[in-house]
C-alpha cells in the first residue's frame, strides 16, 4: 500500500479500507498470529493535549503486536512547553521511534509533522478538524455488526453541529451504495450546511428530525449517539438545556427495532443511561475494542508489515 | 499616457486595479529580482477609470505569473519580445499559492508554528475556492 501517513479517513480508498478492515478482523480472531509482528518496533504517542482513551487505545494496539511505546500525554510536561516546534519535535522523535501518533489542539499540526517526519505519522485528532482513527473505528464496528455498509440507514443523534466524528463518519459512509441518514438533533445543533450540501450533491437521502422516538428509530440499522460537549457553549445555561435533550434509557429502547445497534464514541455523559449497557443492542464497548484492532491494522499497514493476502 | 520607454523582452501587466501595483510587485517577488521594473500608478483607463500598470524587463521564461490568476484575473498580461507584443496571456487559477495570503483560522497550526509556509490549495475551480493546506479553512479573498 502506498499510504505513508494517515491524516484524514479519505486518505484510504474504499478498497484499501476493506483490506485494512480484513486485517483488523483477522487480528481480532487470531491475536496469537500477530503477537510478535512488531517485536522491536516503537510507537511514539505525542499527545499535546490529553486524551487518555485515544492514547491507551493506540498503546494497546501497539503492545498487542509485540511493540513498545513511548511519548508524552500533555503539552505541559513536554518539549512543547519549552517552545519547541512540531517540526523539530517530530524530527527528533524520528530518531527514537518507528511510527508516531500525534494529537494536537491546533488543526493541521499532524500534517506539519508528516511533512518533516522520517517515520509514518498518524493523526490522532487535531482540534475540530480530523480524527481519522475514530472514523475507521466506527466503520469497522458497523461492518462487524452488520456485515456490510450497502443499504444501511444510519441514525446520528445529539450534537451534530460541533461533533466532528459525525461529519467524518457521514463523509466516509457516503462512499457506499444506498446509504441513508437520519440526522437527529435539537434545532440549535443541526449539522452544518456544508454537510447537507455534500449529501444533496451526492443524491444521498437524509432526514432531519428533532425527536428521538419510535417513529424516528423505526428503520434504523444503527443509532450513533454523541455527547454534547460543554466547551462548545458560551454559557452554562445553553449547555444545561442541551445536555439532557436526548437520554436513551431502557424505556425508550423498548420502542426501538430489535436489530438497531447503538454506538457512541465515548466518553458518554447522560445521553445513554447505564441501564442500557446490558442490552445486546448496546455496542459502544465493542466499538472501543474495534478501535484497538483497527489501530493495530493501521500500524502494521504503515510499517509495511501487512502482507497482501 | 506617460511612457517609460519600450521593453525589449519582458511583460506588461495591464488593467491592475488602481492602487494595487505595489502589492502585486511584492506578490511576484519583484523586489527580490534585479531586473528593471516600472510601476505606473493611476493611469487613465477607458474601461476602469484609473488603473495601475507594471512593466518588467526580463527573460520571458523567467517570471512565474501564475499567482496573478489568484489575485485578480482581470489583469492583462502582455508578453513582449523584440519590443513587440507576441502574446496576450490568459490568466488561469493556480493549483496552489504559497505565502501570498495568511490563514485566518485561529485554531490553525500556522497561527503558532514558526517557519511554516502559508499554502492555499485550489479545491473547487467552479467557485474559485482555495483552502488552507493545513486546516482546510476557505481563503478569504484579498481586496
Ligand atoms: Zn489554516
Amino acid at each position: 500500500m502506498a499510504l505513508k501517513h494517515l491524516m484524514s479517513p479519505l486518505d484510504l480508498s474504499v478498497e484499501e479500507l476493506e483490506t485494512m478492515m480484513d486485517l483488523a478482523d483477522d487480528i481480532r480472531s487470531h491475536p496469537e498470529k500477530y503477537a510478535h509482528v512488531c517485536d522491536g518496533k516503537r510507537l511514539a504517542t505525542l499527545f499535546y493535549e490529553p486524551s487518555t482513551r485515544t492514547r491507551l487505545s493506540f498503546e494497546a494496539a501497539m503492545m498487542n503486536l509485540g511493540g513498545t511505546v513511548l511519548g508524552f500525554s500533555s503539552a505541559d510536561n513536554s518539549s512543547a512547553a519549552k517552545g519547541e516546534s512540531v517540526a523539530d519535535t517530530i524530527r527528533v522523535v524520528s530518531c527514537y521511534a518507528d511510527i508516531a501518533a500525534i494529537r494536537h489542539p491546533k488543526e493541521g499540526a499532524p500534517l506539519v509533522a508528516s511533512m518533516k517526519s522520517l517515520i509514518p505519522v498518524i493523526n490522532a485528532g487535531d482540534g475540530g478538524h480530523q480524527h481519522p482513527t475514530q472514523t475507521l473505528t466506527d466503520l469497522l464496528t458497523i461492518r462487524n455488526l452488520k456485515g456490510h455498509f450497502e443499504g444501511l440507514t444510519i441514525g446520528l443523534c445529539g450534537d451534530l453541529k460541533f461533533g466532528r466524528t459525525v461529519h467524518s463518519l457521514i463523509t466516509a459512509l457516503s462512499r457506499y451504495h444506498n446509504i441513508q441518514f437520519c440526522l437527529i438533533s435539537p434545532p440549535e445543533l443541526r449539522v452544518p450546511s456544508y454537510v447537507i450540501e455534500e449529501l444533496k450533491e451526492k443524491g444521498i437521502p437524509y432526514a432531519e428530525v428533532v425527536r428521538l422516538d419510535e417513529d424516528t428509530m423505526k428503520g434504523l440499522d444503527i443509532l450513533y449517539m454523541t455527547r454534547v460537549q460543554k466547551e462548545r457553549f458560551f454559557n452554562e445555561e445553553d449547555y444545561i438545556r442541551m445536555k439532557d435533550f436526548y437520554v436513551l434509557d431502557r424505556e425508550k429502547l423498548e420502542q426501538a427495532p430489535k436489530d438497531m445497534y447503538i454506538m457512541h464514541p465515548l466518553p458518554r455523559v447522560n445521553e445513554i443511561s447505564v441501564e442500557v449497557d446490558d442490552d445486546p443492542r448496546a455496542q459502544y464497548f465493542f466499538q472501543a475494542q474495534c478501535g484497538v484492532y483497527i489501530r493495530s491494522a493501521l500500524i502494521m499497514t504503515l510499517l509495511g508489515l501487512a502482507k497482501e493476502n | 499616457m506617460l511612457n517609460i520607454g519600450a521593453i525589449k523582452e519582458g511583460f506588461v501587466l495591464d488593467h491592475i486595479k488602481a492602487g494595487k501595483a505595489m502589492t502585486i510587485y511584492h506578490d511576484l517577488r519583484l523586489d527580490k529580482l534585479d531586473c528593471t521594473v516600472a510601476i505606473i500608478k493611476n493611469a487613465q483607463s477607458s474601461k476602469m477609470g484609473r488603473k495601475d500598470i507594471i512593466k518588467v524587463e526580463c527573460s520571458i521564461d523567467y517570471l512565474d505569473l501564475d499567482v496573478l490568476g489568484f489575485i485578480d484575473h482581470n489583469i492583462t498580461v502582455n508578453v513582449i519580445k523584440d519590443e513587440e507584443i507576441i502574446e496576450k496571456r490568459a490568466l488561469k487559477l493556480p493549483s496552489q499559492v504559497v505565502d501570498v495570503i495568511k490563514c485566518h483560522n485561529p485554531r490553525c497550526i500556522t497561527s503558532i508554528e514558526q517557519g511554516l509556509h502559508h499554502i492555499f490549495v485550489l479545491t473547487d475551480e467552479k467557485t474559485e475556492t482555495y483552502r488552507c493546506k493545513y486546516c482546510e479553512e476557505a481563503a478569504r479573498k484579498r481586496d
Side-chain angles (χ1 to χ4, degrees), chain A residues 107-108, chain B residues 102-105 107-111 118-120 131-137:
Chain A
E107 302 173 12
Chain B
K102 284 196 152 121
C103 183
H104 287 281
N105 177 3
R107 299 173 310 277
C108 179
I109 185 66
T110 55
S111 67
H118 286 253
I119 305 172
F120 280 80
R131 289 186 182 277
C132 172
K133 183 182 170 82
Y134 305 99
C135 71
E136 296 180 75
E137 181 98 339

Side-chain angles (χ1 to χ4, degrees), chain A:
Chain A
M1 198 179 293
L3 188 70
K4 275 218 199 79
H5 309 283
L6 184 77
M7 293 297 123
S8 139
L10 299 182
D11 290 351
L12 291 161
S13 69
V14 171
E15 293 74 28
E16 288 172 323
L17 191 55
E18 287 296 309
T19 310
M20 197 180 283
M21 288 194 286
D22 289 346
L23 177 59
D25 285 344
D26 204 50
I27 295 171
R28 179 175 163 228
S29 334
H30 308 286
E32 68 293 341
K33 236 170 87 182
Y34 297 91
H36 297 288
V37 291
C38 282
D39 276 1
K41 300 279 185 201
R42 279 195 193 140
L43 164 75
T45 50
L46 313 178
F47 277 50
Y48 289 84
E49 65 178 359
S51 173
T52 312
R53 232 162 267 269
T54 305
R55 190 169 51 84
L56 293 183
S57 180
F58 268 107
E59 297 189 355
M62 189 51 162
M63 289 171 174
N64 286 348
L65 301 172
T68 51
V69 293
L70 72 172
F72 50 84
S73 55
S74 78
D76 32 276
N77 56 13
S78 77
S79 50
K82 301 188 191 84
E84 187 176 61
S85 67
V86 172
D88 281 1
T89 302
I90 193 66
R91 263 185 249 180
V92 172
V93 168
S94 292
C95 308
Y96 308 151
D98 301 283
I99 184 167
I102 301 189
R103 183 163 187 119
H104 201 290
K106 292 289 182 187
E107 302 173 12
L111 180 68
V112 170
S114 74
M115 290 159 72
K116 301 288 178 185
S117 178
L118 304 174
I119 58 174
V121 174
I122 301 168
N123 180 357
D126 58 340
H129 182 221
Q130 295 285 359
H131 189 7
T133 56
Q134 180 67 52
T135 309
L136 299 188
T137 299
D138 297 343
L139 293 174
L140 180 67
T141 310
I142 295 172
R143 201 180 78 151
N144 266 303
L145 294 171
K146 290 289 174 181
H148 59 89
F149 299 105
E150 272 73 28
L152 295 183
T153 303
I154 312 282
L156 298 146
C157 176
D159 172 8
L160 306 187
K161 184 178 180 186
F162 300 109
R164 68 171 163 191
T165 48
V166 169
H167 309 157
S168 303
L169 186 57
I170 292 174
T171 308
L173 284 169
S174 298
R175 300 198 285 182
Y176 299 93
H177 294 295
N178 299 322
I179 212 100
Q180 293 189 42
F181 294 102
C182 181
L183 309 169
I184 310 146
S185 72
E188 295 91 335
L189 296 175
R190 287 173 53 191
V191 284
S193 56
Y194 80 89
V195 177
I196 295 291
E197 289 307 316
E198 204 180 293
L199 290 174
K200 279 186 185 160
E201 205 171 290
K202 292 179 182 157
I204 295 167
Y206 68 92
E208 286 192 89
V209 295
V210 174
R211 295 180 65 89
L212 179 65
D213 54 19
E214 190 169 1
D215 226 30
T216 303
M217 291 188 287
K218 190 172 64 194
L220 292 187
D221 293 296
I222 300 280
L223 176 61
Y224 194 108
M225 300 291 293
T226 62
R227 142 182 75 108
V228 173
Q229 282 174 288
K230 191 176 183 179
E231 54 271 30
R232 305 293 188 200
F233 290 89
F234 290 113
N235 63 67
E236 187 83 13
E237 216 173 288
D238 282 352
Y239 168 67
I240 292 182
R241 197 160 46 84
M242 289 298 146
K243 88 177 157 65
D244 294 325
F245 206 95
Y246 300 109
V247 177
L248 190 63
D249 52 20
R250 195 178 287 158
E251 194 188 332
K252 187 147 265 180
L253 202 54
E254 267 167 29
Q255 309 166 5
K258 291 282 162 273
D259 57 352
M260 183 198 80
Y261 293 111
I262 303 147
M263 291 171 62
H264 192 295
L266 302 178
R268 66 174 149 180
V269 190
N270 294 330
E271 58 278 1
I272 301 179
S273 151
V274 182
E275 60 188 28
V276 169
D277 294 357
D278 295 329
D279 191 289
R281 288 167 288 185
Q283 294 292 339
Y284 28 90
F285 296 115
F286 172 63
Q287 189 180 353
Q289 214 181 324
C290 285
V292 178
Y293 300 129
I294 198 71
R295 287 182 177 96
S296 288
L298 174 65
I299 290 169
M300 280 184 67
T301 305
L302 290 174
L303 288 175
L305 299 170
K307 287 186 213 82
E308 313 281 324
N309 358 323

